[in-house]
Amino acid sequence: MEITKETLLEMYRKMQLIRYFEARTKELFAAGKVPGFVHLYSGEEGIAVGVCSALRQNDYIGSTHRGHGHCIAKGGDVKYMMAELYGKETGYCKGKGGSMHIADFDLGILGACGIVGGSIPLSTGAALHFKYNGTDQVAVTFFGDGATNQGSFHESINLAAIWDLPVIFVCENNKYAESTSISSVMKVEKISERASGYGVPGITVDGNDVIAVYETTLEVVERARKGKGPTLVECVTCRHQGHYEGDSGTYRTKEMVEECKKRCPIKRLCTFLQEEGFSSKKEIEDIDKSVEKEVEAAIEFAEKSPWPKPEDALTDVFVSPYY
Amino acid sequence: MEITKETLLEMYRKMQLIRYFEARTKELFAAGKVPGFVHLYSGEEGIAVGVCSALRQNDYIGSTHRGHGHCIAKGGDVKYMMAELYGKETGYCKGKGGSMHIADFDLGILGACGIVGGSIPLSTGAALHFKYNGTDQVAVTFFGDGATNQGSFHESINLAAIWDLPVIFVCENNKYAESTSISSVMKVEKISERASGYGVPGITVDGNDVIAVYETTLEVVERARKGKGPTLVECVTCRHQGHYEGDSGTYRTKEMVEECKKRCPIKRLCTFLQEEGFSSKKEIEDIDKSVEKEVEAAIEFAEKSPWPKPEDALTDVFVSPYY
Amino acid sequence: MSTREILFLEAIREALREEMRRDESVFLMGEDLRIWGSPMGQLQGLWEEFGDRRVLDTPISETGFVGAGAGAAVLGSRPVVELMFIDFFGIAGDQIYNQAPKLRYMFGGRMKVPLVIRTVIGAGNSAAAHHSASVYSIIAHMPGWKCVIPSTPYDAKGLLKTAVRDDDPVMYCEHKMLVNTKGEVPEEEYTIPFGEASIKREGADVTVVALGWMVHKTLKAAEELSKEGIEIEVVDPRTIVPLDRETIINSVKKTGRLVIVDEDHERCGIGSEISAIVSEEAFRSLSAPIKRVTTPTVPIPFSPVLENAVIPNEERIVKAVREVASFA
Amino acid sequence: MSTREILFLEAIREALREEMRRDESVFLMGEDLRIWGSPMGQLQGLWEEFGDRRVLDTPISETGFVGAGAGAAVLGSRPVVELMFIDFFGIAGDQIYNQAPKLRYMFGGRMKVPLVIRTVIGAGNSAAAHHSASVYSIIAHMPGWKCVIPSTPYDAKGLLKTAVRDDDPVMYCEHKMLVNTKGEVPEEEYTIPFGEASIKREGADVTVVALGWMVHKTLKAAEELSKEGIEIEVVDPRTIVPLDRETIINSVKKTGRLVIVDEDHERCGIGSEISAIVSEEAFRSLSAPIKRVTTPTVPIPFSPVLENAVIPNEERIVKAVREVASFA
Ligand SMILES: Cc1ncc(C[n+]2csc(CCOP(=O)(O)OP(=O)(O)O)c2C)c(N)n1
Ligand SMILES: Cc1ncc(C[n+]2csc(CCOP(=O)(O)OP(=O)(O)O)c2C)c(N)n1
Ligand SMILES: [Mg+2]
Ligand SMILES: [Mg+2]
């Protein structure tokens, strides 16, 4: 596998876009601009970007409560995302969804989900649709370590296994589910060990190494496209902040968070890019600037966008009119 | 481990009691005496009897839709069982439960369950209660091969694992869930392979060898009593008739059913008892007769018992009066 | 139109066969569909005709396969998923409550979910507390589901075809006591729109709204009542979401009296809903209290004696109508 | 009795602390109870006092731990299990529908299930379609659950203590917009029996039955209406199962007019049920149609503008009362 400069820079750009989007979202939440529950993806960018860079546009991803990163990585427009976080009419979901419910069908983004484990069966169903129609598309379902203790995970991966569905189960193992440490809720060392109970390959990869994630994904996606079935890919990572905005995060020591930040996937790629001579400092700074500009423009767009009309609350329940 | 003649004969008696109870139930169902859905245990007696013989009276078992065998093996009285199958007031549940819902608390029978996988969390909770109170009781949860594809199995065994609960997960693998062959709904060879995903030991045993089941259970129960946690025990077996009364069973060839009947756990123990000199033909025939008598008396009891009063339909919803 | 008598379950099978022939994107998924043709044989012959690809046997993983149905629907398939009994809705509870019916709304109308769930409802054969429910009122309470409860082979076929073509999630309920009943069904293709009640009997004295199996019990009660000189109008809504308020209200405007016969539990049931609607919208027309004849909010008991005591029967219907008719 | 002002969440915490001190068989189980003291801090300090044994942190396995709670309850424990939001009921759907509340009945009264599920309900902070529901009407429709919806710290404490001591499954609903409100609570121990409504304001013109957060909105509306000369009687049932029919009906007998304000979805909701009961049992007393002010049967939208448009507000309450009051 050869990875081009273009791919690497695009991965860098997307990771930075996520990071900056989340940093600004954090501020906007604190400022009362973004209501509701907000779960930031900062620190985990290597996974979404590594995985989505190995996908085609017509492949689909299903996401979680911590979904901003997935959306951006799959090509989501931060303008419509930010407008959605604001609850504006111009948002991806016309303000009906908010942070935990963003989708963009045209880009293969099946949608975020407020229910832990809730979207795993849906993505599996997307893969069923691909198999039913004999296309070579694949679906990816993202979920956390905590979600692997849900029945929906178990049932879905088994379904995918027996039907050889083209779906990749990507577990983002950040070692915590809210305040709960993974070691207190499962006895296995690696989540990928759970794959064998379904007759599915399980792989553990460093989620903060975007290149490793990308390469692993390429392989398992290839396998899936060939009709050889699903893979469970565990990506080990950590989050840079609390579970959601408002969480004081006392269950992790400062040292743990600092250690986590040292493993930052963006810094790592940045160093790699420069050390391996893929790009200059200047190139990188240009990207950083463009990313900032994009997010600031998105905020402006969101700010200026109109609120939805109250009566729209009753539309979109059905395709046919509301009863 | 030494197994006494007394234990062996009691195991034989219980297996025969189940077999004869089921044979008569089949007839009574056909005759319209027993309404509802009836799932017979014939052919699988080695499991219930092997397992329950290794338990104490104050240990608890949770059961399934195919629960008559579990109930008898744990000491259930066939009189109250038969009356329940008839829907009579004298039945274990006053006629409210029927074949799929029989319990006897005093004997540690937590109850059958019409929902596949539905009782697994409940038995796990019984084990939690034991641990909470520091007793050395154990709980056993019986379930079929089909049930291991339910989320409730996954979630419960993981809970039991992380809390080292004294609960034994006994999978009765009869290779079919209704008309569905196990090979079409899971990719693993042995269901016990699923244990490793939870950090739990998994064992596969011949469910038609009651002695093997008994000895295995003794071991894993001992482990559980010592606070060392759950075990998944897969008992391989087969059923002698259709999934339920009314099933033509066309998904199995005649040869398969015949082969199954050859592996009969009762015949096997009977041969063993005589060949190893544990008991004479006469002793065995006496047991067979006593068992017949017991079941016939139970039928008479059921026949003669009164129907529940219609107004009782509104009692027992709550401990407090019905609203 | 030429008609013939067929079984309710044949009507279901015909509807699915026609729709599957018409539209490649329709497929069936559920437990024991292939060899058994589903437990009551509704689907027999479809696997033989359409093969493994379009008739999927699943593991016992309701969360998994109901969710997969929704996911496939979102992409453009038209899965008809079988939930063996409505009593099992909770096994797939989150997919049924939070996912399938909310996706479209949460995502601002960006997707549609043409999923049909076929399920079996109802008591009547001592199937006890886990296999006898009629809790479609829970489905009706959940935003995003349409819900169909046919009472005759004719309605069953026409409404199932509509369900398959509908772009929204539809819960389609087959009553176990009706599946083997017969009725006239045209040879020619037809569909029945959702939200149109069917007046199963006309009458000027009391309006009786009844659903599913209860329609038949009510029609029997009607004969008895007629002998006493009470003519009831039997309105069968056929779909509870959407509900044909207009037909119900017009009938009540005519009769001034309303009895609702429903097999679902009384508390927060569709019977309560219809009562509330009518007292809101036709208050002036009512000349007697609205009566509900429903199943009390208890688990369905096993023994025939007890089951009979809770499921609405002719006697209770007759009694309620008499009371309402004589109220002055 | 000496009282002091405490927060709703402190009332919950106090109730649990007292009950846990009183009865060793009471324990807590759920997600993030130890360090977080549950997401809104209701349980803070209890882990510190009662330790690991009596405060269990679970995996995200609602089916597993709700079922385990029911199983432990059957054996004699008194688990108080937290379901983080009522929106999650479907995740544990079968344990909540078919197991916990039906065990006693199915087994002919041979066991009791003293299980409490504490859960958070309600909209108001843009938590969107998966974290804002008030679907307690679904719980009320299921046979076997008692269901508590307190509106003040006083009610919250007294009813939670009763819930813990009750021998039947109880669903106890904490409204997220109330958890941080204050109210008077006695220093001394007290309990409040289930099935007794509380009249939060007396009035002779219109009866308004309201639940949870809606009680407060209704009380505000009452002030405005009072200025117009309309005096409403605000009846807070506090428990919907059992429901205090008597107090509601007596109030309607006095006022002749009824408005029901409920945050749950309209279709097949507890609002429908109360309407149906009153029109059955107090028909002659009604001098106007019964009006429901509820949340339409749509997923709860995210944007504050939209959320506001669906959740009942003062304006809608005032309007409904005016209509009913002026009906002639
Ligand atoms: C079924 C369900 N249970 C509980 C919650 C509350 N909750 C939201 S996020 C979360 C933790 C999820 O942990 P994990 O899957 O590891 O994802 P992470 O947040 O670490 O990315 C919990 C418990 C929920 N949303 N859904
Ligand atoms: C949740 C659920 N899904 C489906 C059914 C219908 N059903 C009853 S028994 C059964 C097969 C169970 O297979 P298995 O667990 O292997 O037990 P066995 O009948 O073979 O003993 C099915 C699908 C059910 N009762 N509950
Ligand atoms: Mg995590
Ligand atoms: Mg089996």
Side-chain angles (χ1 to χ4, degrees):
Chain A
M1 247 164 320
E2 242 176 67
I3 186 161
T4 63
K5 172 177 175 178
E6 203 189 335
T7 304
L8 287 169
L9 285 185
E10 179 58 11
M11 293 204 293
Y12 177 79
R13 193 188 69 80
K14 285 234 174 99
M15 289 202 289
Q16 275 294 45
L17 186 56
I18 296 171
R19 180 68 55 91
Y20 194 71
F21 183 89
E22 296 296 56
R24 293 294 278 126
T25 298
K26 194 179 179 70
E27 292 167 10
L28 293 163
F29 178 86
K33 291 284 186 180
V34 169
F37 292 127
V38 171
H39 307 79
L40 302 180
Y41 198 68
S42 321
E44 312 192 7
E45 297 90 345
I47 305 172
V49 172
V51 167
C52 292
S53 301
L55 301 179
R56 303 183 187 152
Q57 174 153 336
N58 71 350
D59 294 327
Y60 276 76
I61 62 164
S63 167
T64 67
H65 56 287
R66 196 179 301 290
H68 305 169
H70 309 137
C71 191
I72 293 176
K74 192 69 174 51
D77 190 325
V78 290
K79 227 165 56 203
Y80 305 129
M81 286 177 66
M82 193 52 88
E84 188 59 34
L85 296 196
Y86 269 69
K88 294 297 184 76
E89 196 182 17
T90 53
Y92 260 124
C93 312
K94 307 182 196 158
K96 283 179 174 150
S99 167
M100 278 190 290
H101 309 280
I102 297 186
D104 185 341
F105 249 53
D106 303 332
L107 297 170
I109 302 167
L110 261 175
C113 184
I115 301 296
V116 169
S119 73
I120 306 177
L122 299 167
S123 310
T124 306
L128 173 61
H129 173 85
F130 301 144
K131 180 168 177 180
Y132 184 74
N133 288 293
T135 76
D136 69 350
Q137 288 159 282
V138 303
V140 168
T141 175
F142 290 103
F143 51 87
D145 45 292
T148 64
N149 291 324
Q150 276 282 342
S152 61
F153 163 74
H154 173 76
E155 297 188 9
S156 300
I157 192 167
N158 186 58
L159 266 190
I162 60 170
W163 291 341
D164 287 324
L165 299 182
V167 49
I168 316 301
F169 291 81
V170 178
C171 178
E172 308 185 310
N173 182 0
N174 60 13
K175 306 291 177 82
Y176 283 87
E178 301 195 333
S179 69
T180 302
S181 152
I182 183 174
S183 62
S184 70
V185 292
M186 63 180 76
K187 274 202 164 172
V188 286
E189 283 295 310
K190 289 178 175 178
I191 289 177
S192 58
E193 290 177 49
R194 292 203 157 161
S196 69
Y198 311 99
V200 159
I203 301 174
T204 298
V205 58
D206 181 349
N208 288 18
D209 179 349
V210 68
I211 298 176
V213 173
Y214 171 71
E215 289 179 341
T216 303
T217 310
L218 274 183
E219 262 172 57
V220 301
V221 161
E222 193 53 28
R223 198 174 166 271
R225 287 201 209 285
K226 286 194 183 132
K228 294 191 178 160
T231 306
L232 173 59
V233 181
E234 172 189 17
C235 303
V236 181
T237 186
C238 54
R239 49 174 156 75
H240 283 188
Q241 66 298 305
H243 168 68
Y244 58 6
E245 290 315 282
D247 172 15
S248 61
T250 51
Y251 44 88
R252 290 195 300 176
T253 61
K254 264 194 194 150
E255 292 72 48
M256 287 163 79
V257 179
E258 263 160 39
E259 195 275 331
C260 166
K261 288 187 177 168
K262 277 193 202 130
R263 292 195 284 128
C264 171
I266 301 181
K267 271 196 216 140
R268 183 160 167 173
L269 180 62
C270 184
T271 310
F272 175 85
L273 284 173
Q274 291 176 281
E275 284 182 357
E276 302 291 314
F278 276 101
S279 53
S280 65
K281 211 173 167 195
K282 169 78 173 62
E283 268 176 306
I284 289 195
E285 281 171 2
D286 284 350
I287 293 179
D288 292 354
K289 273 185 212 140
S290 81
V291 154
E292 280 188 35
K293 236 172 101 182
E294 193 173 343
V295 172
E296 295 306 330
I299 296 170
E300 207 187 317
F301 174 77
E303 285 279 350
K304 291 197 176 146
S305 289
W307 293 105
K309 284 175 285 302
E311 59 271 27
D312 288 343
L314 300 189
T315 61
D316 296 324
V317 180
F318 294 116
V319 175
S320 48
Y322 170 69
Y323 341 88
Chain B
M1 250 164 316
E2 244 177 63
I3 187 160
T4 64
K5 173 177 175 179
E6 204 190 333
T7 304
L8 287 169
L9 285 185
E10 179 57 13
M11 292 204 295
Y12 177 78
R13 193 187 69 80
K14 285 236 174 97
M15 289 203 290
Q16 276 294 46
L17 186 56
I18 296 170
R19 180 69 55 92
Y20 195 70
F21 183 90
E22 296 296 56
R24 293 294 277 126
T25 298
K26 193 179 181 70
E27 292 167 12
L28 293 163
F29 177 86
K33 292 283 188 181
V34 169
F37 291 127
V38 171
H39 307 79
L40 303 179
Y41 198 69
S42 321
E44 311 191 7
E45 298 89 346
I47 304 172
V49 171
V51 167
C52 292
S53 301
L55 300 180
R56 303 182 187 151
Q57 174 153 336
N58 71 351
D59 293 328
Y60 276 76
I61 63 164
S63 167
T64 67
H65 57 285
R66 197 179 300 289
H68 305 168
H70 308 136
C71 191
I72 293 176
K74 192 69 174 51
D77 189 326
V78 290
K79 229 165 55 203
Y80 305 129
M81 286 177 66
M82 193 54 89
E84 188 60 35
L85 296 196
Y86 268 69
K88 294 298 184 75
E89 196 183 14
T90 54
Y92 260 125
C93 313
K94 308 181 194 159
K96 282 179 174 151
S99 166
M100 276 190 290
H101 308 281
I102 296 186
D104 186 341
F105 249 52
D106 304 331
L107 298 171
I109 302 166
L110 262 174
C113 184
I115 302 295
V116 170
S119 74
I120 306 178
L122 298 168
S123 311
T124 306
L128 173 60
H129 174 85
F130 301 146
K131 178 164 179 186
Y132 183 74
N133 289 291
T135 76
D136 69 348
Q137 288 158 282
V138 303
V140 167
T141 176
F142 290 102
F143 51 87
D145 45 291
T148 65
N149 291 325
Q150 276 282 342
S152 61
F153 163 74
H154 173 76
E155 297 188 9
S156 300
I157 191 167
N158 186 57
L159 266 191
I162 59 170
W163 292 341
D164 288 323
L165 298 182
V167 50
I168 316 301
F169 291 81
V170 178
C171 178
E172 308 185 311
N173 182 0
N174 61 13
K175 307 290 178 82
Y176 283 86
E178 301 194 332
S179 69
T180 302
S181 154
I182 183 173
S183 62
S184 69
V185 290
M186 63 180 78
K187 274 204 164 171
V188 285
E189 282 295 310
K190 289 178 175 179
I191 289 178
S192 58
E193 289 177 50
R194 291 202 159 163
S196 69
Y198 311 99
V200 159
I203 301 173
T204 299
V205 58
D206 180 349
N208 288 18
D209 179 349
V210 68
I211 298 175
V213 173
Y214 171 71
E215 289 178 342
T216 303
T217 309
L218 274 182
E219 261 172 59
V220 302
V221 161
E222 193 53 27
R223 199 174 165 272
R225 287 202 208 287
K226 286 193 185 135
K228 293 190 180 160
T231 307
L232 173 60
V233 181
E234 172 189 17
C235 302
V236 181
T237 186
C238 54
R239 48 175 159 74
H240 284 188
Q241 66 296 306
H243 168 68
Y244 58 5
E245 290 315 282
D247 171 17
S248 61
T250 50
Y251 44 88
R252 292 194 298 176
T253 61
K254 263 194 193 147
E255 293 72 47
M256 287 164 79
V257 179
E258 265 161 38
E259 194 274 332
C260 165
K261 288 187 176 167
K262 277 193 202 130
R263 292 194 283 127
C264 171
I266 302 182
K267 269 195 217 143
R268 182 159 168 175
L269 180 62
C270 185
T271 310
F272 175 85
L273 283 172
Q274 291 178 283
E275 284 182 356
E276 303 290 313
F278 277 100
S279 54
S280 65
K281 210 172 168 193
K282 169 78 173 63
E283 269 176 308
I284 289 192
E285 282 171 3
D286 284 351
I287 292 177
D288 292 355
K289 273 185 210 140
S290 79
V291 155
E292 281 189 34
K293 238 171 100 183
E294 193 173 341
V295 172
E296 295 306 329
I299 296 170
E300 208 188 316
F301 174 77
E303 286 279 349
K304 290 196 175 148
S305 290
W307 292 105
K309 284 174 285 303
E311 58 271 28
D312 288 344
L314 298 190
T315 62
D316 297 325
V317 180
F318 293 116
V319 175
S320 48
Y322 170 69
Y323 341 88
Chain C
M1 278 222 281
S2 51
T3 69
R4 71 249 127 96
E5 286 231 316
I6 62 172
L7 292 172
F8 195 108
L9 65 80
E10 290 168 331
I12 290 167
R13 194 185 300 155
E14 276 191 11
L16 291 173
R17 181 181 292 125
E18 289 172 18
E19 292 306 300
M20 288 176 81
R21 286 183 184 164
R22 189 186 56 80
D23 183 351
E24 263 279 315
S25 65
V26 180
F27 66 85
L28 311 177
M29 174 158 60
E31 292 155 16
D32 303 285
L33 304 190
R34 288 178 180 166
I35 294 173
W36 274 7
S38 109
M40 278 185 286
Q42 298 95 312
L43 308 188
Q44 269 165 24
L46 298 182
W47 177 46
E48 288 76 357
E49 175 170 350
F50 297 100
D52 282 356
R53 175 168 167 262
R54 299 187 66 191
V55 183
L56 282 119
D57 266 1
T58 65
I60 311 175
S61 304
E62 282 83 356
T63 291
F65 70 75
V66 167
V74 158
L75 270 279
S77 289
R78 294 190 167 269
V80 179
V81 173
E82 178 167 313
L83 182 69
M84 211 179 273
F85 293 90
I86 200 169
D87 312 65
F88 303 171
F89 87 90
I91 315 264
D94 184 63
Q95 296 299 318
I96 288 180
Y97 168 55
N98 272 322
Q99 313 303 337
K102 290 187 181 173
L103 292 173
R104 178 174 172 78
Y105 188 85
M106 294 188 302
F107 298 129
R110 292 181 73 93
M111 47 177 77
K112 48 189 196 181
V113 188
L115 168 72
V116 178
I117 297 186
R118 287 178 45 248
T119 192
V120 167
I121 59 168
N125 68 347
S126 285
H130 286 165
H131 293 78
S132 303
S134 294
V135 289
Y136 38 71
S137 305
I138 288 181
I139 304 300
H141 187 74
M142 297 175 178
W145 282 103
K146 296 175 178 173
C147 186
V148 185
I149 305 164
S151 67
T152 66
Y154 175 82
D155 291 347
K157 182 171 177 185
L159 290 165
L160 183 49
K161 285 171 69 83
T162 303
V164 173
R165 296 179 194 190
D166 196 278
D167 279 336
D168 294 311
V170 178
M171 183 70 65
Y172 180 91
C173 303
E174 304 166 8
H175 199 293
K176 59 164 80 69
M177 300 305 283
L178 296 180
V179 160
N180 282 298
T181 58
K182 279 200 163 178
E184 301 235 312
V185 173
E187 298 274 5
E188 292 77 13
E189 182 170 36
Y190 67 100
T191 59
I192 299 174
F194 288 173
E196 288 192 8
S198 150
I199 297 184
K200 299 291 187 203
R201 177 185 176 118
E202 295 197 12
D205 301 329
V206 177
T207 299
V208 183
V209 175
L211 285 159
W213 190 27
M214 298 300 116
V215 172
H216 301 271
K217 295 196 176 195
T218 303
L219 288 170
K220 280 198 198 127
E223 314 246 310
E224 176 146 353
L225 288 159
S226 178
K227 287 180 206 147
E228 302 176 12
I230 305 173
E231 295 300 337
I232 66 175
E233 179 144 300
V234 182
V235 179
D236 174 1
R238 300 196 290 198
T239 58
I240 58 172
V241 185
L243 181 71
D244 183 351
R245 296 170 173 232
E246 206 184 315
T247 300
I248 296 170
I249 287 168
N250 285 342
S251 178
V252 172
K253 285 192 174 152
K254 180 171 79 173
T255 62
R257 290 158 207 267
L258 173 63
V259 170
I260 302 153
V261 186
D262 180 33
E263 190 176 339
D264 199 355
H265 303 299
E266 178 153 299
R267 195 189 300 126
C268 301
I270 188 71
S272 320
E273 178 64 21
I274 294 171
S275 170
I277 290 172
V278 170
S279 71
E280 255 158 18
E281 299 185 17
F283 180 72
R284 284 188 207 270
S285 311
L286 282 171
S287 34
I290 300 167
K291 284 244 166 232
R292 290 173 291 169
V293 180
T294 60
T295 300
T297 311
V298 303
I300 311 300
F302 165 72
S303 181
V305 180
L306 300 172
E307 193 183 34
N308 248 326
V310 299
I311 305 298
N313 55 28
E314 260 178 78
E315 204 184 310
R316 282 172 60 200
I317 300 168
V318 167
K319 188 163 165 280
V321 171
R322 273 194 207 126
E323 276 175 35
V324 165
S326 62
F327 184 92
Chain D
M1 278 224 282
S2 50
T3 69
R4 71 249 126 96
E5 285 232 316
I6 62 172
L7 291 173
F8 195 108
L9 64 80
E10 289 167 331
I12 291 166
R13 194 185 300 157
E14 277 191 11
L16 291 173
R17 181 181 291 127
E18 290 172 17
E19 292 306 300
M20 288 177 80
R21 286 183 184 165
R22 191 185 56 78
D23 183 351
E24 263 280 314
S25 65
V26 180
F27 67 84
L28 310 178
M29 175 159 59
E31 292 156 16
D32 303 287
L33 304 191
R34 290 178 179 164
I35 293 173
W36 274 8
S38 110
M40 277 183 287
Q42 298 96 311
L43 309 187
Q44 269 166 22
L46 299 181
W47 178 46
E48 288 76 358
E49 175 171 351
F50 297 101
D52 281 357
R53 175 167 168 263
R54 299 186 67 191
V55 182
L56 283 120
D57 265 2
T58 64
I60 311 175
S61 303
E62 282 83 357
T63 291
F65 70 77
V66 168
V74 157
L75 271 279
S77 289
R78 294 190 168 270
V80 179
V81 173
E82 178 167 314
L83 182 69
M84 210 179 275
F85 293 90
I86 202 169
D87 312 64
F88 302 171
F89 87 90
I91 316 263
D94 185 63
Q95 296 300 316
I96 288 180
Y97 168 55
N98 272 322
Q99 312 303 337
K102 290 187 181 174
L103 292 173
R104 177 175 173 77
Y105 188 87
M106 295 189 300
F107 298 130
R110 292 180 73 93
M111 48 177 75
K112 48 189 196 180
V113 188
L115 168 72
V116 177
I117 296 187
R118 287 179 44 250
T119 192
V120 167
I121 59 169
N125 67 346
S126 284
H130 285 164
H131 294 77
S132 304
S134 295
V135 288
Y136 37 71
S137 305
I138 289 182
I139 304 300
H141 188 74
M142 297 175 178
W145 282 105
K146 295 174 179 174
C147 186
V148 184
I149 305 164
S151 68
T152 65
Y154 176 82
D155 291 348
K157 182 171 178 187
L159 291 164
L160 182 49
K161 285 172 69 84
T162 302
V164 173
R165 296 178 193 191
D166 197 278
D167 279 337
D168 293 311
V170 178
M171 184 71 65
Y172 181 91
C173 303
E174 304 166 7
H175 198 293
K176 58 164 79 71
M177 300 305 283
L178 296 180
V179 160
N180 282 299
T181 58
K182 278 200 164 179
E184 301 235 314
V185 173
E187 298 274 4
E188 292 77 13
E189 182 170 35
Y190 67 99
T191 58
I192 300 173
F194 288 173
E196 288 192 8
S198 150
I199 297 185
K200 299 289 188 206
R201 178 187 176 117
E202 295 197 12
D205 299 329
V206 177
T207 300
V208 182
V209 175
L211 284 160
W213 190 27
M214 297 300 117
V215 172
H216 300 271
K217 296 197 175 193
T218 303
L219 288 170
K220 279 200 199 128
E223 314 245 313
E224 176 147 354
L225 288 159
S226 179
K227 288 181 205 147
E228 301 176 13
I230 304 174
E231 295 300 334
I232 65 175
E233 177 144 302
V234 182
V235 179
D236 174 2
R238 302 196 290 198
T239 59
I240 58 172
V241 186
L243 181 70
D244 183 352
R245 297 171 173 231
E246 207 184 313
T247 299
I248 296 171
I249 287 169
N250 285 342
S251 177
V252 172
K253 283 192 176 152
K254 181 171 79 174
T255 62
R257 291 158 206 267
L258 175 62
V259 171
I260 302 153
V261 185
D262 180 34
E263 190 175 338
D264 198 354
H265 302 299
E266 177 152 300
R267 196 189 300 126
C268 301
I270 188 70
S272 321
E273 178 63 22
I274 294 171
S275 170
I277 290 172
V278 170
S279 73
E280 255 158 18
E281 300 186 17
F283 180 72
R284 284 190 207 270
S285 311
L286 282 171
S287 32
I290 300 166
K291 283 248 167 227
R292 291 173 291 168
V293 180
T294 59
T295 301
T297 310
V298 303
I300 311 300
F302 165 73
S303 181
V305 180
L306 300 172
E307 193 183 32
N308 248 326
V310 299
I311 304 298
N313 54 27
E314 260 176 79
E315 202 184 312
R316 281 172 61 200
I317 300 168
V318 167
K319 186 163 168 278
V321 171
R322 273 194 208 128
E323 276 175 36
V324 165
S326 63
F327 185 91

